[in-house]
Amino acid sequence: MENEMIGEIVISPRVLEVITGVATTKVEGVHSLHNKTVTDSLSKVAHGRGVYLKTEEDGTVSADIYVYLQYGINVPAVSMGIQRAVKTAVYDMAEVNLSEVNIHVVGIVPEKTPKPDMKNLFDEDFLDD
């Protein structure tokens, strides 16, 4: 059977952000993502959910992930686990190779702090855009 190109497939960056966010929160030791506001060089404000993707001129995609980790875990081990999980999930679901997955540990959360509900991770309707 021959593969024939009948069109182009375009994956929204928001889809990649959701895949990255879900993969990150499923890693043992991650408490939550850190929401912050970022202004890029074009003066656009992005209200991220702790996941920021950047596409370079050569087409490579890198990810910066801002997380809170649970108290008592091995920070380097959890960070490497996040990197592996994110790279694997993004490639498996979207066939996109991430050139870098940078983990920024914003803080450590005390033991008895309840973990946020995953339903609130991306609490917006993507179809409204």
Side-chain angles (χ1 to χ4, degrees):
M1 184 169 187
E2 185 178 315
N3 287 340
E4 182 180 331
M5 290 288 291
I6 30 181
E8 186 178 359
I9 299 172
V10 178
I11 299 173
S12 168
R14 293 180 109 176
V15 171
L16 298 178
E17 288 175 3
V18 170
I19 293 169
T20 301
V22 170
T24 299
T25 57
K26 287 187 175 185
V27 173
E28 187 69 32
V30 174
H31 181 269
S32 60
L33 296 172
H34 173 65
N35 298 338
K36 66 181 217 163
T37 302
V38 175
T39 304
D40 67 13
S41 60
L42 300 175
S43 298
K44 288 190 258 175
V45 176
H47 300 287
R49 300 284 187 249
V51 176
Y52 304 93
L53 301 177
K54 183 178 180 184
T55 305
E56 302 296 333
E57 290 179 13
D58 63 357
T60 60
V61 180
S62 63
D64 284 284
I65 305 169
Y66 293 81
V67 294
Y68 286 103
L69 299 180
Q70 295 171 345
Y71 178 80
I73 54 91
N74 182 328
V75 174
V78 172
S79 297
M80 288 187 288
I82 294 169
Q83 289 173 323
R84 279 191 299 275
V86 167
K87 277 191 157 196
T88 301
V90 170
Y91 184 78
D92 289 349
M93 293 184 205
E95 291 189 7
V96 172
N97 279 317
L98 295 175
S99 61
E100 294 179 347
V101 178
N102 302 309
I103 309 302
H104 305 270
V105 178
V106 178
I108 304 293
V109 177
E111 293 179 72
K112 296 184 182 187
T113 305
K115 200 168 183 175
D117 188 11
M118 206 159 148
K119 290 180 185 177
N120 297 329
L121 181 60
F122 294 94
D123 57 351
E124 53 190 298
D125 187 4
F126 295 108
L127 301 175
D128 289 343
D129 285 348

